């Protein structure tokens, strides 16, 4: 055990690190729609390396059942009372890469999509919340800290502390991590009273009321012992109305309990030296393989076979958050005035999907829009591109820019949240940096930065320095795990 932790334990009069249960709607590689899943899947492994027994509880989604049913062990079942409904909840156990994952089984709530969307999603995750709390005393594991993630699990601390008097749930320590504050779980008072038995006294602005509605995220922010978000810059930004989506009041009130811990990436999965999804391999010192990946990407996606043209890429949800409106605004100007190629892999708002499909028609051979989700193709895009564009309006942490850097694709980002914390912009006077950035959410500022990147592309020594720095950056989970371990300890 690290000396720092030994000292902290001594200070607390304890002899061992706390056991932690992570509760989340998704967990990679079992189920994944975004970065949250990567964090929940990777963090327990890095915590184990520090000597912390961290386990996960997550829904037994259909996609998991289809793939892992024969590895899962049934533990027990019970019935969850959800308003007038009485619902079956099975607890299954899966051990994957040494991490124990408890899966909450219910064919109705988890037999379809991970997120139902709309009002029904509130019921889907009210069920999960109640099932987690009711299952806790019967697990073969006694956590001291329950680490909740985003609004889907944010009601666990509130209900645990208010509805289980004398139970172990009342005395647990709760951490809530905000991965994206834009999603909050907003429902009517009657809805949460019916589903979760929330008492009227908690439906006030002091507790879970916001703008006349019950707000799951706010309930979590009020009742968690500590709150963190996934980068130091985002932790500062969400104190401001522009980023906080209405929650700045409660966040400022809890200011001293809010911190930012940058996520890491799984360095084993994302390793250009060994990645089985790549046609050729490379590392910082030997980048021939990267050129081969670029050629393979161009060939596969119908782009002209040109080794010496700057190839820009995006792997993204196509939403306003990700700055897609900026891309739409300047794409034609860029494609008609610059000698460049553009590769998009993404899904999202239909207006952006259609825009990119049409752009592909206009710039065939130079622009490819692959509308869809493909883990496999994403690796080739990271490895085969020269630049990775991420002009987010806000970005709590962002994993894609870190993956891109590890694969030697230089990020071009807006200076917000985790993008600001992970990308050091190119300084033309000192030659320092590992990417490019712009300050304002402005299409022409982004366009200008892209132009600067293209100019740099033709300066061999500049590119050499930038790519080397980008590939050197250490975004492993070890550092984040250390910070989480400190946070868990200081919560006890
Ligand atoms: P967010 O979680 O906000 O979507 P992040 O950058 O934190 O953004 O994480 C996105 C993750 O999802 C990355 O691992 C990225 O490669 C992956 N991803 C996003 N869109 C796609 C897609 N269309 N196909 C494959 N992977 C994708």
């Amino acid at each position: 055990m690290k000396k720092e932790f030994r000292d902290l334990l001594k200070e607390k009069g304890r002899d061992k690190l706390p056991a932690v249960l992570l509760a989340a709607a998704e967990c990679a590689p079992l189920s994944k729609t975004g970065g949250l899943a990567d964090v929940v899947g990777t963090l327990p492994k890095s915590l184990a390396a520090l000597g912390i027994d961290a386990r996960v509880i997550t829904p037994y989604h259909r996609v998991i059942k289809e793939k892992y049913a024969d590895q899962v062990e049934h533990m027990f079942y019970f019935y969850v009372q959800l308003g007038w409904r009485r619902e079956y909840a099975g607890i299954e156990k899966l051990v994957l890469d040494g991490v124990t994952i408890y899966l909450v089984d219910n064919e109705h709530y988890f037999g379809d999509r991970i997120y139902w969307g709309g009002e029904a999603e509130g019921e889907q995750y009210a069920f999960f919340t109640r099932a987690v709390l009711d299952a806790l005393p019967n697990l073969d594991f006694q956590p001291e800290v329950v680490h909740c993630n985003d609004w889907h699990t944010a009601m666990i601390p509130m209900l645990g502390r208010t509805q289980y008097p004398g139970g172990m749930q009342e005395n647990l320590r709760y951490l809530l991590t905000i991965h994206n504050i834009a999603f909050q779980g907003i429902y009517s008072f009657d809805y949460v009273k019916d589903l979760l038995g929330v008492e009227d006294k908690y439906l006030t602005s002091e507790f879970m009321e916001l703008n006349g509605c019950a707000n799951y995220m706010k309930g979590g922010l009020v009742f968690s012992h500590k709150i963190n978000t996934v980068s130091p810059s985002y932790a500062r930004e969400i104190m401001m109305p522009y980023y906080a989506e209405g929650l700045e009041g409660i966040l400022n009130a809890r200011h001293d309990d809010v911190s930012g811990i940058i996520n890491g990436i799984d360095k084993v999965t994302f390793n250009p030296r060994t990645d089985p999804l790549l046609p050729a391999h490379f590392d910082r010192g030997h980048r021939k393989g990267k050129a081969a990946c670029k050629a393979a990407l161009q060939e596969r996606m119908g782009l002209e076979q040109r080794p010496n043209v700057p190839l820009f890429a995006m792997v993204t949800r196509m939403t306003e958050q990700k700055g897609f409106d900026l891309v739409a605004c300047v794409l034609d100007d860029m494609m008609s005035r610059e000698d460049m190629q553009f590769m998009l892999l993404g899904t999202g708002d239909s207006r952006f999907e259609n825009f990119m499909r049409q752009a592909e028609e206009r710039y065939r051979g130079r622009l490819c829009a692959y509308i869809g989700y493909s883990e496999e193709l994403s690796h080739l895009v990271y490895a085969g591109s020269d630049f990775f564009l991420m002009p987010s309006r806000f970005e709590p942490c962002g994993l894609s820019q870190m993956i891109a850097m590890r694969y030697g694709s230089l990020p071009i980002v807006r200076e917000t949240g985790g993008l600001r914390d992970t990308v050091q912009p190119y300084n033309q006077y000192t030659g320092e940096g590992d990417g490019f950035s712009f300050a304002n959410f402005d299409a022409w500022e982004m366009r200008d930065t892209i132009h600067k990147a293209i100019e740099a592309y033709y300066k061999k020594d500049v590119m050499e320095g930038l790519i080397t720095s980008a590939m050197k950056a250490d975004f492993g989970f070890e550092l984040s795990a250390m910070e989480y371990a400190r946070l868990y300890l200081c919560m006890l």
Side-chain angles (χ1 to χ4, degrees), residues 32-36 38 270 315-317 321-322 345-347 372-375 378 382 390 395 398-401 403:
K32 173 174 164 177
T33 69
L36 161 67
D38 291 319
F270 298 109
V315 177
T316 186
R317 289 185 287 119
Q321 180 204 327
K322 296 293 177 182
L345 166 61
T347 51
Y373 191 96
S374 167
E375 187 77 31
S378 74
Y382 287 117
M390 223 168 149
E395 193 60 72
L399 299 175
S400 307
Q401 81 280 13
I403 304 171

Side-chain angles (χ1 to χ4, degrees), residues 431-447:
E432 285 168 332
D434 47 27
F436 297 83
S437 68
F438 57 99
N440 296 301
F441 191 70
D442 179 291
W444 293 99
E445 219 174 294
M446 176 186 83
R447 170 75 182 87

Side-chain angles (χ1 to χ4, degrees), residues 58-61 65 74 76-78 87-92 102-111 127-128 131:
T58 192
Y60 196 8
H61 293 296
K65 218 171 250 185
H74 176 70
F76 58 92
Y77 73 91
F78 53 98
E87 296 284 352
Y88 169 89
I91 301 293
E92 320 287 315
Y102 300 102
L103 298 160
V104 176
D105 187 24
N106 178 293
E107 283 284 335
H108 171 58
Y109 289 116
F110 306 128
F127 167 78
F128 182 64

